[in-house]
Amino acid sequence: MTAPSVLPSLDVERFLRDGFGLFDQLAAYVQLSPGELEQRLAHSRSDLAALHPGATGFDPERVEAFYEETVGHGHLLELSAWHLGSGDYIADTLRLQQHLARGQVLDFGGGIGTHALAAAALPQVERVWFVDLNPDNRAFVRQRAEALGLAHRLGFCRDLSDPALPAAFDTIVCLDVLEHLSHPADQLEVFASRMSKEAVALLNWYFFKGFAGEYPFHFDDPQLVERFFRKLQSRFLEVFHPFLITTRAYRLAD
């Protein structure tokens, strides 16, 4: 099959209109009617939280297994509800990505693929590498990419050990992921080792379980958080951007 010569337009306006066709794509993937999907989305956060055994019963060293084996469609539904209900905030992260992304792009823990798909449609991007532990996420985003005419612009991998990945990336996107990792400081070191000389990393984090415990899958240990910030400050230099959002841009420190 010949790759399309013209990239589809996945601009911010289209995202705000329909999330790049997210609702219909999700309904088809999980095989639910629109009404059934609306009901599942409304309870998706509490349903996902219910899968988590809580702080006293959760082994931090099994966090990968939780996202790879336990959550199933639950993670897709929770992420989709967030993206469909937080359009204005996510739109600014897409504007930031459009402003800085180029070359070989890593979308680490890319979820439902909003940022990976938008990056793949940018002419200054050569290829997007979608890395996610959850096989449901990878399959769903692959299906979305095919529907949008972008399959030839993306590669799909479980983790960063995949030999298909380039040795270095020009852009790293890691949004709403670091708070789910039991060793986020170590992940920053991995990112630093895989960044090209002029690379930029777009990162955010939320090390908080919620005022009512609604995010039991977030890590919030004070020592973990301190190690994270010490690593961030020692390995990266923040790059100013004009968007008033929690996502930050970084390059490697000299």
Side-chain angles (χ1 to χ4, degrees):
M1 180 182 296
T2 303
S5 58
V6 178
L7 295 174
S9 176
L10 295 188
D11 56 19
V12 173
E13 288 68 30
R14 180 168 179 186
F15 171 75
L16 290 170
R17 186 167 66 248
D18 67 359
F20 307 146
L22 174 59
F23 186 90
D24 290 341
Q25 294 159 354
L26 183 62
Y29 183 78
V30 298
Q31 299 183 321
L32 293 174
S33 70
E36 290 170 329
L37 181 56
E38 288 280 8
Q39 291 181 351
R40 291 290 301 276
L41 290 174
H43 302 285
S44 58
R45 181 192 295 173
S46 58
D47 289 347
L48 182 62
L51 294 173
H52 196 282
T56 58
F58 186 62
D59 180 358
E61 300 308 316
R62 286 189 52 78
V63 64
E64 288 190 0
F66 176 73
Y67 287 105
E68 187 167 16
E69 303 166 7
T70 304
V71 297
H73 285 343
H75 200 216
L76 281 179
L77 294 167
E78 193 269 340
L79 288 172
S80 296
W82 158 243
H83 279 236
L84 290 169
S86 305
D88 289 339
Y89 174 82
I90 294 170
D92 269 343
T93 67
L94 291 172
R95 292 184 179 100
L96 174 60
Q97 177 178 260
Q98 183 177 359
H99 181 58
L100 293 174
R102 61 178 181 82
Q104 298 286 335
V105 176
L106 168 65
D107 187 358
F108 184 82
I112 58 173
T114 297
H115 293 83
L117 294 167
L122 296 173
Q124 67 269 30
V125 167
E126 296 173 29
R127 190 166 181 81
V128 176
W129 299 91
F130 181 90
V131 174
D132 198 294
L133 288 172
N134 189 317
D136 255 350
N137 292 359
R138 297 196 302 273
F140 178 53
V141 177
R142 188 187 299 271
Q143 183 173 295
R144 297 188 75 193
E146 291 170 354
L148 293 165
L150 287 167
H152 65 294
R153 301 270 291 172
L154 288 100
F156 295 87
C157 303
R158 177 194 179 273
D159 56 58
L160 288 174
S161 68
D162 194 308
L165 292 165
F169 301 96
D170 303 300
T171 311
I172 291 178
V173 179
C174 181
L175 302 181
D176 306 315
V177 173
L178 291 164
E179 63 269 24
H180 296 265
L181 304 182
S182 55
H183 302 286
D186 293 347
Q187 190 60 57
L188 291 181
E189 187 62 42
V190 172
F191 287 159
S193 72
R194 300 293 291 267
M195 292 171 68
S196 64
K197 184 178 180 181
E198 302 298 327
V200 172
L202 308 182
L203 311 174
N204 69 0
W205 51 83
Y206 193 58
F207 297 112
F208 183 53
K209 293 185 182 296
F211 292 103
E214 61 268 33
Y215 304 111
F217 29 80
H218 288 186
F219 286 96
D220 65 351
D221 176 73
Q223 292 183 338
L224 174 150
V225 176
E226 181 173 333
R227 286 195 298 272
F228 171 82
F229 283 115
R230 288 187 181 278
K231 178 66 69 174
L232 183 71
Q233 293 166 10
S234 68
R235 296 292 275 135
F236 299 92
L237 181 67
E238 187 166 357
V239 177
F240 173 79
H241 68 73
F243 304 101
L244 295 173
I245 53 178
T246 58
T247 301
R248 301 287 189 252
Y250 297 93
R251 65 172 176 83
L252 291 173
D254 296 331

